[in-house]
């Protein structure tokens, strides 16, 4: 015991439960805080300088006498040099020579906290410009609408699209294009009040949210400022660049009651500005409402689309980076409209959720995907891991456990080949309910993954408690990893976090060899994206499997076993950690 005490990585204090005085401190605790052991012995823990900012520690001994075990997820301790460290604290009570001894273990979690802070920032900000991203913009517009409703004034949304940016980007390269976007973001900030928000949606699209304006004239004033600011030439390295901007403006309450409606209205007005010569702004009007009318038409058409057989599933393979074999497929929903053809999932999935149809359609997706997986096996293929998305509405509104059980029983599919992808948009206000549903799903024998990881930071505080098997890094982070250090840093942090928690990790949206090369250096195990294969119909996916079989010389080499067991994952984590250390040692800082 003494040897474990002396060599432990965690700091440890031993405390007499009667006198509440520190009786011993191990070397790790002394090194962690910079105090001499003699300065700690004989004093109560709550009176020690490192714990001055932790009122809860004064009651720790009393609570331990009642509970015998206690855990604090996050204490901030002061070191001797005035800095601070974040620690996780576990206290326990045990007998030694007929005396009650309190042992407090302190684990330094500062690196993890910094990684979480960085991920939290990246989840709400554009990696290139530092402006708020789409997620934070929606929150800001919602707040502006609430203030306008309360104060009986107006709010405005300005949608901006840069004119001639594509020509500059294509002719001078992405490096110059990125520098131009950063310069545009800087100029937008100078046009706004502190209460306003400028955000980047992606590409050359920016949005400005104005709160507390009296009339539409106030929005015009800002639009005029932006036009002037962005038509002034940009000196970028050795170039003098001239661009313009087309602006669409929507107003609350006239053009919409929520952030989504205002953004759609502003987007419609922006396209009108482009059609009218660019370099100008337009307000949304009912006459510009063609896109809104299409949304309404599709809202009607999507009712019954599932029963009419208009939905289909495509499958995108997921590859092992190590040996380029298929480790699984993700089922993706497609809508073939009878008159308009293929409708973008970014359009019809929100429609299904808005109209409350996603539970019904999601049930069909799950049943169809499981049946297809069994059909592939009956056609001679080795079992394949199948990933199916669950929306937040399915998770909470429908009996998702019964739905999954029914799909497995009806299809005859072995549950170990099914992975359910949960989105980070799950409402985590009732974390215990969420965890219980996850546990019930795990009882069925299926695997769970967290999809689009990094786009919603609220789940980070619960991540260690969720019974997950792997996480999927959102494609928005992958887009810039080869060119932008901030994006690369957040992916590095996510991979470290996954490895430390014993989770597998798959990166989505891999489209370039540079992205793949980065992930190989970071020892990410699995990828999917257009660089390898676009989503395929069931029949095309079958042919794809056969072609992979011929290439590899054996059908059994196409797929790997399902999500690893706990022992397998522990071995993989140790292996990845060892590899990661080698890579990091040779990589630039």
């Amino acid at each position: 015991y003494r040897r474990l005490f002396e060599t432990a990585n965690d700091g440890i204090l031993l405390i007499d439960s009667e006198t509440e005085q520190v009786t011993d401190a191990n070397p790790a605790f002394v090194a962690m805080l910079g105090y001499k052991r003699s300065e700690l012995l004989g004093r109560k823990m709550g009176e020690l300088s490192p714990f001055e900012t932790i009122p809860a520690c004064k009651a720790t001994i009393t609570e331990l006498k009642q509970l015998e075990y206690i855990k604090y997820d996050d204490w901030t301790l002061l070191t001797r040099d005035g800095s601070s460290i974040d620690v996780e604290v576990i206290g326990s009570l045990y007998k030694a020579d007929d005396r009650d001894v309190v042992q407090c273990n302190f684990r330094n979690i500062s690196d993890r906290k910094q990684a979480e802070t960085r991920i939290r920032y990246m989840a709400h900000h554009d990696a290139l410009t530092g402006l708020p991203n789409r997620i934070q913009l929606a929150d800001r517009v919602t707040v502006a609408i609430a203030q306008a409703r309360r104060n009986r004034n107006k709010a405005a949304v300005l949608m901006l699209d840069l004119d001639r940016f594509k020509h500059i980007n294509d002719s001078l390269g992405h490096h110059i294009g990125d520098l131009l976007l950063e310069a545009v973001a800087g100029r937008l900030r100078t046009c706004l009040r502190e209460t306003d928000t400028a955000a980047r949606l992606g590409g050359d699209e920016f949005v400005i949210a104005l709160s507390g304006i009296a009339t539409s004239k106030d929005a015009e004033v800002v639009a005029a400022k932006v036009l002037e600011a962005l038509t002034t030439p940009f000196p970028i390295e050795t170039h003098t660049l001239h661009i313009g901007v087309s602006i669409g403006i929507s107003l609350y309450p006239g053009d919409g009651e929520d952030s989504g409606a205002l953004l759609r209205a502003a987007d419609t007005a922006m396209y009108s500005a482009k059609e009218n010569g660019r370099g100008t702004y337009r307000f949304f009007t009912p006459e510009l409402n063609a896109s809104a009318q299409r949304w309404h038409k599709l809202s009607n058409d999507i009712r019954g689309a599932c029963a009419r057989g208009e939905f289909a599933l495509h499958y995108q393979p997921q590859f092992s980076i190590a040996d380029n074999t298929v480790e699984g497929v993700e089922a993706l929903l497609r809508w073939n409209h009878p008159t308009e053809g293929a409708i973008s999932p970014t359009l019809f999935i929100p429609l299904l959720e808005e109209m409350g149809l996603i539970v019904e359609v999601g049930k069909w997706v799950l049943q169809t995907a499981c049946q297809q997986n069994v059909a592939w096996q009956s056609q001679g293929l080795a079992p394949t891991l199948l990933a199916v998305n669950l929306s937040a509405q399915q998770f909470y509104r429908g009996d998702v456990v019964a739905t999954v059980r029914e799909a497995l029983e009806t299809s005859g599919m072995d549950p170990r080949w099914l992975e359910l992808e949960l989105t980070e948009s799950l409402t985590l206000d009732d974390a215990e309910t969420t965890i219980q549903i996850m546990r019930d799903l795990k009882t069925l024998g299926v695997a769970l993954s967290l999809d689009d990881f990094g786009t919603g930071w609220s789940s980070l505080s619960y991540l260690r408690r969720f019974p997950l098997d792997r996480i999927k890094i959102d494609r928005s982070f992958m887009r810039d990893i080869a060119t932008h250090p901030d994006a690369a840093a957040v992916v590095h942090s996510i991979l470290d976090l996954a490895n430390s928690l014993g989770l597998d990790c798959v990166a989505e949206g891999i489209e370039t060899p540079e992205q793949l090369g980065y992930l190989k250096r970071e020892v990410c195990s699995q990828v999917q994206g257009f660089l390898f294969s676009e989503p395929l119909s069931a029949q095309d996916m079958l042919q794809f499997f056969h072609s992979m079989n011929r290439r590899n010389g054996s059908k059994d080499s196409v797929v790997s076993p399902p999500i690893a067991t706990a022992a397998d994952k522990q071995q993989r984590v140790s292996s990845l950690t060892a590899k990661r250390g080698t890579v990091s040692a040779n990589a630039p800082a």
Side-chain angles (χ1 to χ4, degrees), residues 7 59 159 165 167 173 190 200 229-230 251 260 297 316 318 332 347 418 471 478 499 516 549 572 582:
T7 60
M159 182 75 70
F165 175 77
H167 172 72
T190 66
R200 182 186 176 217
L230 299 189
L251 298 170
K297 180 180 184 303
Q316 187 171 37
Q318 298 170 338
L332 300 169
L347 180 60
L418 177 62
I471 58 179
M478 305 310 305
N499 287 337
L516 179 61
N549 288 338
R572 182 183 297 127
T582 303

Side-chain angles (χ1 to χ4, degrees), residues 2-200:
R2 189 69 195 179
R3 183 164 56 189
L4 290 173
F5 179 81
E6 294 289 348
T7 60
N9 290 325
D10 291 348
I12 302 175
L13 283 183
L14 299 183
I15 302 168
D16 188 298
S17 67
E18 297 301 324
T19 64
E20 300 188 4
Q21 293 176 336
V22 175
T23 60
D24 208 347
N26 74 338
F29 187 85
V30 171
M32 183 185 296
L33 298 175
Y35 286 88
K36 296 179 180 178
R37 183 169 173 272
S38 59
E39 296 177 285
L40 305 172
L41 302 184
R43 300 181 62 188
K44 293 184 178 180
M45 184 172 71
E47 298 174 351
L48 295 175
S49 299
F51 301 94
E52 288 179 352
T53 59
I54 314 293
C57 76
K58 296 182 178 179
T60 298
I61 307 302
T62 302
E63 292 181 12
L64 276 170
K65 288 179 180 180
Q66 299 172 348
L67 304 175
E68 296 187 353
Y69 178 89
I70 197 166
K71 180 180 179 182
Y72 300 99
D73 289 331
D74 192 358
W75 279 9
T76 300
L77 304 185
L78 300 176
T79 66
R80 181 152 199 156
D81 62 9
S83 60
S84 61
I85 60 171
D86 296 302
V87 297
E88 179 183 83
V89 184
I90 295 177
S92 57
L93 187 71
Y94 66 92
K95 287 279 188 181
D97 297 330
D98 297 326
R99 299 181 66 183
D100 289 332
V101 177
V102 170
Q103 176 174 315
C104 290
N105 285 46
F106 301 85
R107 175 163 296 177
N108 191 336
I109 59 171
S110 297
D111 289 344
R112 190 182 80 207
K113 294 283 288 185
Q114 291 173 6
E116 290 178 356
T117 299
R118 187 160 53 189
I119 292 172
R120 187 179 302 120
Y121 177 85
M122 292 298 293
H124 289 83
H125 292 81
D126 174 54
L128 175 63
T129 64
L131 293 177
N133 62 8
R134 187 184 298 271
I135 296 172
Q136 190 171 6
L137 172 67
D139 290 339
R140 297 282 181 87
V141 174
T142 300
V143 170
I145 289 173
Q147 291 175 343
R149 185 183 296 117
R150 183 170 59 251
N151 299 327
R152 297 186 178 181
N153 51 26
K154 297 181 182 296
V157 170
L158 283 65
M159 182 75 70
L160 285 64
D161 190 82
L162 303 184
D163 302 329
R164 297 183 296 278
F165 175 77
K166 187 177 187 302
H167 172 72
I168 293 172
N169 207 40
D170 292 343
S171 59
L172 299 180
H174 293 288
H175 171 66
I176 298 298
D178 288 348
L179 293 177
L180 178 58
L181 291 173
E182 291 181 83
V184 167
R187 291 192 185 181
L188 290 181
R189 291 185 180 98
T190 66
C191 299
L192 306 179
R193 305 166 298 174
E194 289 186 1
T195 55
D196 301 327
T197 299
R200 182 186 176 217

Side-chain angles (χ1 to χ4, degrees), residues 553-569:
S554 168
K555 73 176 183 180
D556 291 332
S557 65
V558 174
V559 293
S560 296
I563 295 297
T565 64
D568 293 335
K569 285 194 287 185

